[in-house]
Amino acid sequence: MFNRILILLVTALFVSACAANGNNPTASRTTSVGNVLTDKEGMTLYIFTRDTAGVSNCAGNCAVNWPPFMAEEGATGSGKFSVITRGDGARQWAYDGMPLYYWVGDTQPGDTNGQGVNDVWFVVEVEAKSTESRTTSSGSYGY
């Protein structure tokens, strides 16, 4: 009986530690452009097509308008999520290697005002009831 309780306690602590480390930093939300990747508060996340896997090319004024989705100290990736190091040394979340950003023009959860800006900024569209995502013909980038 004691061993079972100990195993349950250790499992619960492990799950809590994973959550605290940011292993699941996102959620998804149905929006006007489909089901998209968001932060846990429902704010839409975007990718910049001028980035490359593991490298953010959005700094300075770009990062003012497109704030990076920053990773907390000690956060580690899991599955398709990873943490990259920006040019300034800050840590940023990435999905399938692509750095993730917010758009300054989104003010409420579910806003997708950054979709298609300058034909280089796109939401990450995901399947409605799974963690898998898809490519669409609507200009969204699915993974």
Side-chain angles (χ1 to χ4, degrees), residues 87-112:
D88 62 3
R91 296 164 39 91
Q92 179 178 359
W93 282 107
Y95 182 76
D96 208 20
M98 295 300 289
L100 295 170
Y101 304 87
Y102 296 101
W103 167 235
V104 72
D106 288 347
T107 59
Q108 297 182 25
D111 283 354
T112 56

Side-chain angles (χ1 to χ4, degrees), residues 77-130:
S78 176
K80 290 190 174 199
F81 292 96
S82 59
V83 176
I84 66 161
T85 302
R86 297 174 51 77
D88 62 3
R91 296 164 39 91
Q92 179 178 359
W93 282 107
Y95 182 76
D96 208 20
M98 295 300 289
L100 295 170
Y101 304 87
Y102 296 101
W103 167 235
V104 72
D106 288 347
T107 59
Q108 297 182 25
D111 283 354
T112 56
N113 299 315
Q115 172 66 2
V117 169
N118 296 328
D119 292 324
V120 294
W121 291 97
F122 297 96
V123 300
V124 179
E125 192 169 344
V126 295
E127 289 292 332
K129 293 185 180 178
S130 108

Side-chain angles (χ1 to χ4, degrees), residues 13 22 31 39 45-46 50 83 86 88 97 125 127 133 135:
L13 289 173
T31 68
D39 68 8
L45 296 168
Y46 298 86
R50 294 185 181 155
V83 176
R86 297 174 51 77
D88 62 3
E125 192 169 344
E127 289 292 332
S133 46
T135 304

Side-chain angles (χ1 to χ4, degrees), residues 6-93:
L6 183 61
I7 289 170
L8 288 173
L9 180 60
V10 169
T11 302
L13 289 173
F14 176 76
V15 170
S16 295
C18 288
N21 283 336
N23 287 336
N24 185 15
T26 64
S28 64
R29 182 182 192 99
T30 301
T31 68
S32 62
V33 298
N35 200 49
V36 301
L37 193 64
T38 69
D39 68 8
K40 287 185 178 180
E41 286 73 42
M43 297 303 291
T44 302
L45 296 168
Y46 298 86
I47 61 160
F48 181 39
T49 59
R50 294 185 181 155
D51 284 344
T52 56
V55 178
S56 170
N57 290 309
C58 179
N61 286 335
C62 177
V64 170
N65 290 316
W66 297 93
F69 181 35
M70 303 307 290
E72 294 179 9
E73 187 64 34
T76 59
S78 176
K80 290 190 174 199
F81 292 96
S82 59
V83 176
I84 66 161
T85 302
R86 297 174 51 77
D88 62 3
R91 296 164 39 91
Q92 179 178 359
W93 282 107

